[in-house]
Every structure is written in C-alpha cells, then in structure tokens.
Amino acid sequence: MNDDRRSHEASILRAFFDDQLQHLHQLVSNLSSHIHDAELQANEDRQIVESFVDASNTKMRAVQGYSDKLSEHVRALHRHVLQVADQIPPPVDLNREAFESDPLVNALFVNSKDIEKLFATDPDAKVYLRSRSKNQVPVLYALLTAVKSEKRMLGMDMHGDMLIREVPQQAVNFSLHKIHAPCSGGEELSTALKEYLFGCVVELVKREMVSRMASHQSFNTGDESYESKVKSLANPDVYLNALLGYIEAPDKLLSIDKTHFKLSKLGIKLEDDDSGQRANEFDIHELTWSNDTRNVVLQIAYVR
C-alpha cells in the first residue's frame, strides 16, 4: 500500500517537473523569437535610414552617430507614409466596361478611348508593356494620378420645365493623368505604392534642402569667415539638424483627403438633393505634398 502511494506521488512529481520544463522551453522559445523579430526590425530600420540618406544627401554620413540621430524621425516619416498608403482603396478596373459602369472612372476620363490612349502614350506604361507579353502579364496593375481642377462658370440649368441661363455652376475637371509603378499583381502593387510614396517624399525633402542651401549661399556671397562656414548648410552637422527640423512633422510632407463628389455627366458639381439629371457619385482620394501639389490617386488594374 505504501509502495503504491509512493509510486503515485513520484508520478505526480514527474508530471509536475515535466510541465515546468515544457513551460521553461516555451519561455526560451518565445524569448528567442522576440529577439529574432527585434533584430529583423532593427535591420529593417537601418535599411530605411540608409536608403533615406542615399536618396537625400550622403554627406550626412560624415556626422558622428548620424544613423541614431536620424532613426526616430525617418522611422516616423516611413510609418506615416505607410498609413497614407493604407487609406488608398484597392485596385479598380480601368477599361471600356468600367467607363460605362464605374462612376469614378467615368468622371476621370472624357471617353473610353482616353483610357486606351493613356496606356499607349504614358512613358512608364509603354516601357513596361513593351518588355512583357500578354501571356507574361495579362493584367497590368499600377498607380494612377491625375490633377483635379474646379472652375466657377455660368451655364444653363433646368428648373422644372423652364430653362434658366447664366446659372452659376462649379465645373470639375481631371487632367494630367499619369501611370506610376506598373507591375503584374496586387501584392506587388501594394509594395510598389509604398515605395513610390516614400521615394516622392524623400525627393521633395531633398529639393527643399537644396533650395535652402542655394538661398543661404546666395545670402552669404563673399563671406569666407570661419564662423560662416561652420553655420553653413554645407556643414553636414548643420545640414542634418536642419533636415531633422524639416521632417519632424510628417503630415506636412504628405497627407491624404477623401472627398465625396456628385457630378453631372458634363462634370458640373451637383447638390445632394439634385435628382433631376443623371450623375456620377463617387469618392476621390487626393494627396497633398509638401510643395502644395495635389494629386488624385487610385490603384488600377488594366486587362490587356
């Protein structure tokens, strides 16, 4: 009887220690996974910073600890760009059928032939399509941008059975259509979109800093003093600090707005309660860049 009891107690102890050992193994495994994920994230952050430096000004590498100084601001800028990209809806079909059925596509183009003309004349689209057969890429995915303009004008309107002339109207027009980042699939486009937006932001940052340097040099023409050189943006330390101040507010470098439109087939803005004529109702997403340029943006799929 005592032997059975001791055997039972020993069995319970073994089970207890087995559970503890398994728990310990799980903790070690989770810790290793966490460390591995942290290392991957750190490597990715370093790559983002180095890509930013390569694209903006490699002279910043002369500053001691430049990567650490840039890291927080550049990572915040990159996260902001990803958040903007996530607000852009999934790809819409861009073809003759979509022109007839999709209010957004119908409003963006005057007629369906303009869609075919865009892909036949856009430089990026032409290069991509010429180097790939229809069998290789049956559907082209890309980013489409356009410029929206609004103009006050006097037109005609119907009030019941009465034709009214010289009625104040707001005409909305879309022009300067451009294809960016053509690729062969939706997932590839999602990545290309983020890279495109981040690359454009960095390019605009670079242009701003070049403009500041030129302005500073013009203002200090003839001043060759040591103090002037130390304070000059040609000094990598001064340049880096000025750049950090410029990029510390990412939403001022790139933002996105969603706006609902109701337009007549002639592109005239209609009121919500205006149901007297055929209309296109749709949402547009518009990017605003640091130089105050605005672009309507959408992801598209074009069947060849």
Side-chain angles (χ1 to χ4, degrees):
M1 187 71 177
N2 289 336
D3 289 341
D4 290 342
R5 186 169 60 187
R6 283 196 294 271
S7 177
H8 178 66
E9 291 174 347
S11 178
I12 293 175
L13 284 173
R14 281 197 300 272
F16 172 77
F17 284 120
D18 286 343
D19 288 342
Q20 293 301 307
L21 186 59
Q22 183 178 2
H23 181 61
L24 179 60
H25 282 315
Q26 186 63 45
L27 288 175
V28 172
S29 176
N30 290 341
L31 179 60
S32 299
S33 176
H34 177 73
I35 293 174
H36 178 67
D37 291 344
E39 290 176 347
L40 288 177
Q41 185 62 55
N43 287 333
E44 181 180 344
D45 290 344
R46 281 194 292 270
Q47 290 175 5
I48 292 171
V49 170
E50 293 305 323
S51 296
F52 179 88
V53 173
D54 286 335
S56 55
N57 190 339
T58 57
K59 291 182 179 180
M60 286 188 290
R61 290 195 173 99
V63 178
Q64 185 174 4
Y66 74 93
S67 182
D68 291 336
K69 293 178 180 179
L70 284 169
S71 181
E72 181 179 349
H73 286 71
V74 173
R75 285 190 294 111
L77 176 59
H78 189 256
R79 285 194 301 270
H80 174 72
V81 169
L82 298 188
Q83 291 168 0
V84 169
D86 287 341
Q87 295 180 60
I88 300 174
V92 300
D93 291 334
L94 195 59
N95 50 40
R96 184 172 299 178
E97 291 75 18
F99 180 80
E100 299 296 334
S101 61
D102 189 327
L104 173 59
V105 175
N106 187 269
L108 284 173
F109 295 90
V110 175
N111 55 59
S112 60
K113 291 182 180 179
D114 285 346
I115 297 175
E116 298 299 328
K117 182 180 178 181
L118 172 65
F119 287 96
T121 58
D122 182 89
D124 288 355
K126 283 173 59 178
V127 170
Y128 188 86
L129 293 174
R130 284 177 179 175
S131 62
R132 295 161 179 83
S133 69
K134 288 185 180 180
N135 290 332
Q136 290 175 311
V137 183
V139 181
L140 171 72
Y141 289 81
L143 185 68
L144 171 67
T145 60
V147 175
K148 176 182 69 67
S149 59
E150 299 190 29
K151 181 180 179 181
R152 297 289 296 177
M153 57 182 291
L154 296 177
M156 296 184 295
D157 197 6
M158 294 294 296
H159 282 247
D161 295 331
M162 185 179 298
L163 178 64
I164 308 297
R165 300 179 183 275
E166 297 189 352
V167 177
Q169 296 176 332
Q170 188 84 355
V172 180
N173 181 57
F174 298 95
S175 61
L176 301 177
H177 300 71
K178 182 78 176 71
I179 298 293
H180 309 271
C183 54
S184 61
E187 291 187 9
E188 187 180 353
L189 176 58
S190 178
T191 300
L193 167 62
K194 297 176 176 66
E195 292 176 350
Y196 168 78
L197 294 179
F198 189 66
C200 288
V201 169
V202 176
E203 177 61 27
L204 288 174
V205 169
K206 179 180 179 179
R207 292 181 187 179
E208 170 64 21
M209 296 305 295
V210 168
S211 175
R212 290 187 182 189
M213 289 182 68
S215 176
H216 187 271
Q217 289 172 356
S218 175
F219 182 77
N220 290 281
T221 300
D223 187 353
E224 298 293 334
S225 67
Y226 174 77
E227 182 180 3
S228 176
K229 292 180 179 179
V230 169
K231 293 181 178 180
S232 168
L233 284 171
N235 180 338
D237 285 282
V238 175
Y239 181 97
L240 190 147
N241 288 331
L243 182 141
L244 291 177
Y246 182 63
I247 68 173
E248 66 179 355
D251 59 328
K252 292 183 179 180
L253 304 180
L254 176 65
S255 61
I256 186 169
D257 296 299
K258 175 182 175 182
T259 308
H260 184 75
F261 277 88
K262 183 176 182 180
L263 303 181
S264 74
K265 292 298 182 177
L266 296 177
I268 303 301
K269 187 180 289 187
L270 303 175
E271 300 297 331
D272 291 338
D273 58 356
D274 191 340
S275 57
Q277 56 181 306
R278 295 176 60 198
N280 286 320
E281 282 199 64
F282 54 91
D283 294 325
I284 66 166
H285 292 76
E286 196 168 14
L287 300 172
T288 301
W289 305 90
S290 57
N291 60 357
D292 293 328
T293 299
R294 296 175 67 89
N295 294 119
V296 175
V297 59
L298 63 157
Q299 300 182 79
I300 58 97
Y302 171 72
V303 179
R304 301 174 67 180

